[in-house]
Amino acid sequence: MRKPMVAGNWKMNKTVEQARELVAQLLPDLQAFHTVERVICPPFTALLPICAMLKGTDIGLGAQNIHWEASGAYTGEESAAMVKEFCQYVIIGHSERRAYFGETDESVNKKVRAACEAKLTSIVCIGETLAEFEAGRTEDVLTRQVIAGLGELTIEQAQGIVIAYEPVWAIGTGKAATGTGANEVIAKAIRSNLVKLFGNSISQQTRVLYGGSVTAENAAEFFGQPEIDGALVGGASLKIPGFLEIVRAAAK
Ligand code: PGA
């Protein structure tokens, strides 16, 4: 049995004061859903104050990026060990980082290894663009992203990694994939490649989230699918009733 997970990716939103306010309002209800692994991923500046607020709860904290090097002259970057001081999770290879900040499957691979080394749980994002989807290349693209992004990890490193399948055309567009469509893609192009890389047991153990315009209204459609183990939520994670409804749907 894979424990369902709902992670909120706040992206570049909320000052420290705003972040504290949102968490303060979320916490009382969010704490009730112990059967769901709940993770909040605020911007870097809010990690320390939110870490303090989450102490004593079973709600996890995640960063939205790390650098793969342990330390050194990398202005503007944070290492896995630095993130680990506050967080248990890190989002790696989000499509916005791939599109705007030059991240590649190779950098994803290095970051996942750095996260493993620091004992951070990676939430590795993969997904095809609209052009790739329309050209019928979804399976090829995901295969490449899984093999190149996670290749050469040891079985031990692969254990516990979380994958977020986020079709780029569904992110922030209000046009989510369908539950059955995402389920099929995950079975054919993600779990099958995990089997090739790490064997059946790791493939069955690995949680695969869906992401891309998940809302309180459509969440249950995704969570009802056998291959989907939760959601990576962007826009809706900033809305209090909406995010709680998504977590509630995952708990059912
Ligand atoms: P969205 O973003 O829920 O706003 O579509 C999801 C994500 O980018 O992780």
Side-chain angles (χ1 to χ4, degrees), residues 9 11 94-96 125 166 170-174 211-214 232-236:
N9 173 14
K11 309 192 181 187
H94 190 279
S95 68
E96 286 148 17
C125 300
E166 300 201 304
I171 296 177
T173 58
S213 297
V214 173
L232 181 57
V233 185

Side-chain angles (χ1 to χ4, degrees), residues 192-237:
S192 63
N193 284 306
L194 290 175
V195 172
K196 280 187 208 148
L197 284 178
F198 308 114
N200 199 45
S201 154
I202 295 281
S203 173
Q204 283 311 307
Q205 242 167 267
T206 301
R207 283 173 298 178
V208 182
L209 315 180
Y210 168 78
S213 297
V214 173
T215 62
E217 288 71 36
N218 66 18
E221 179 188 341
F222 294 105
F223 300 156
Q225 303 295 328
E227 303 293 357
I228 299 178
D229 306 308
L232 181 57
V233 185
S237 71

Side-chain angles (χ1 to χ4, degrees), residues 8 38 68 109 118 141 179 197 199 228 231 237 242:
R38 294 135 293 156
W68 59 81
N109 194 290
V141 169
L197 284 178
I228 299 178
S237 71

Side-chain angles (χ1 to χ4, degrees), residues 75-97:
T75 301
E77 294 288 323
E78 279 79 24
S79 73
M82 290 169 185
V83 161
K84 176 67 183 175
E85 291 187 285
F86 312 111
C87 299
Q88 304 81 40
Y89 303 84
V90 60
I91 298 173
I92 292 180
H94 190 279
S95 68
E96 286 148 17
R97 297 217 50 92

